[in-house]
Amino acid sequence: MQNLLPRFLPAFQAEKPHREKIKISSLDRSLGTLLGSEVTQRFHGQLNDDTYVIECNGGAGQSLGAFLPKGMTIDIQGDANDYFGKGLSGGKLIIKPSAQASFIAQDNVIIGNVALYGATSGEAYICGRAGERFAVRNSGAIAVVEGCGDHGLEYMTGGKVVVLGKTGKNFAAGMSGGIAYVLDQDHDLYLRLNKELVTMQEVTEHIDIEDLKSLLNKHYQATHSSLAYDILEYLETWLPHFKKIVPVHYAKMTKSIHSYEKQGYTYDEAALMAFQEVHQ
């Protein structure tokens, strides 16, 4: 396991940004977690995004970027094993195939199972497909991925996820919060969607279109995804193939909060009033 702390200590003492390039292998597990713990203790979540950047080349072991805090970015050329970004806590994760790769990114798995499990905040941009149980129990992180396996977004309670490709079965099971935008080119997502708590809508509202466009732009800037580029270039053509997945009660709460905010209430006041309204 690589201990990155000695490389970053001078930057901590000088209080300045720092960037490191390293080679990784599957023996490097929980890469960045010890360093992230030190960053949290020293800076208490006050760093700007991308203050400390680790550029990795190779295939990562399990739990890369687990509990990564705000201000830290891990940018990988290669692939990663299970539990990628477990408990992500404000940091940023970027993964894309090697520049020498000859395969099509969106047709291939680039990270393993149970990625972003229990993530609370932060961002993840994944140029390729994820395994099973992607973003399970995500409560606040933003992620873009180009496909995922079974049980994606299970028990998700917050955050936003864009899936630019096929999902596996039982998608959004137990999802009680957050929003997902899913590219449904074959218009068969309904066959794999767990409809117990969520509703599926067309992406037609201006606010949703702008939201999706912003996330696609961030994904392209981070990974240079050819798929994201194509969608942004011909957005009007691609939009009819997107579906918005949102929990029924979450949608009601969000709409009610926005209504109260327009009347001049603060977000906290609006959230409390919306909660009372929905539960009545």
Side-chain angles (χ1 to χ4, degrees), residues 194-210:
N194 187 313
K195 307 175 188 67
E196 185 176 356
L197 296 180
V198 302
T199 180
M200 185 169 72
Q201 308 167 4
E202 303 292 331
V203 180
T204 55
E205 297 290 334
H206 177 73
I207 189 170
D208 290 326
I209 294 170
E210 290 303 310

Side-chain angles (χ1 to χ4, degrees), residues 2-278:
Q2 297 211 25
N3 185 359
L4 295 166
L5 185 56
R7 305 188 189 196
F8 282 82
L9 277 175
F12 292 165
Q13 292 161 359
E15 296 187 354
K16 65 179 183 180
H18 187 70
R19 181 180 294 261
E20 283 282 344
K21 291 185 178 182
I22 62 172
K23 291 185 178 180
I24 56 174
S25 77
S26 59
L27 298 178
D28 295 308
R29 299 181 179 182
S30 303
L31 185 76
T33 303
L34 288 174
L35 178 59
S37 174
E38 186 69 22
V39 167
T40 298
Q41 290 181 59
R42 286 174 179 266
F43 302 106
H44 308 289
Q46 301 304 308
L47 291 176
N48 294 324
D49 290 341
D50 305 315
T51 299
Y52 299 121
V53 180
I54 307 167
E55 295 181 10
C56 306
N57 196 299
Q62 292 190 348
S63 300
L64 181 140
F67 311 106
L68 199 72
K70 181 174 171 57
M72 285 192 65
T73 298
I74 300 182
D75 189 341
I76 309 110
Q77 277 196 34
D79 54 27
N81 215 311
D82 299 340
Y83 293 102
F84 175 89
K86 175 177 68 178
L88 184 67
S89 301
K92 185 186 295 182
L93 291 172
I94 300 166
I95 187 164
K96 51 192 176 288
S98 166
Q100 288 73 45
S102 58
F103 55 82
I104 299 173
Q106 64 261 33
D107 294 339
N108 289 271
V109 174
I110 195 168
I111 60 174
N113 300 321
V114 208
L116 301 179
Y117 176 83
T120 62
S121 55
E123 303 170 53
Y125 301 103
I126 300 148
C127 187
R129 294 179 56 82
E132 296 184 359
R133 300 189 185 279
F134 179 76
V136 169
R137 299 189 185 278
N138 173 32
S139 63
I142 292 170
V144 183
V145 66
E146 301 187 352
C148 66
D150 296 343
H151 315 294
L153 279 53
E154 192 174 34
Y155 303 123
M156 180 166 147
T157 61
K160 290 179 183 176
V161 174
V162 178
V163 183
L164 301 177
K166 284 279 189 183
T167 73
K169 64 186 179 183
N170 202 34
F171 187 75
M175 179 180 171
S176 60
I179 296 172
Y181 299 106
V182 183
L183 180 60
D184 184 24
Q185 283 183 279
D186 297 327
H187 298 277
D188 59 359
L189 175 61
Y190 71 96
L191 296 173
R192 299 182 300 281
L193 183 68
N194 187 313
K195 307 175 188 67
E196 185 176 356
L197 296 180
V198 302
T199 180
M200 185 169 72
Q201 308 167 4
E202 303 292 331
V203 180
T204 55
E205 297 290 334
H206 177 73
I207 189 170
D208 290 326
I209 294 170
E210 290 303 310
D211 198 16
L212 177 59
K213 189 190 299 185
S214 172
L215 293 169
L216 287 169
N217 264 309
K218 290 180 178 180
H219 184 56
Y220 175 71
Q221 293 298 324
T223 68
H224 303 293
S225 164
S226 59
L227 178 58
Y229 177 84
D230 192 61
I231 294 171
L232 286 165
E233 190 74 7
Y234 304 101
L235 187 60
E236 290 187 5
T237 302
W238 284 92
L239 267 179
H241 299 296
F242 275 95
K243 300 294 192 302
K244 178 184 178 182
I245 309 301
V246 60
V248 175
H249 292 296
Y250 183 84
K252 290 179 181 178
M253 277 287 293
T254 303
K255 183 177 180 180
S256 186
I257 288 170
H258 288 163
S259 175
Y260 283 119
E261 284 183 314
K262 286 180 180 178
Q263 296 175 42
Y265 293 101
T266 67
Y267 176 82
D268 288 341
E269 292 170 338
L272 178 59
M273 295 170 73
F275 177 83
Q276 294 169 341
E277 177 186 305
V278 168

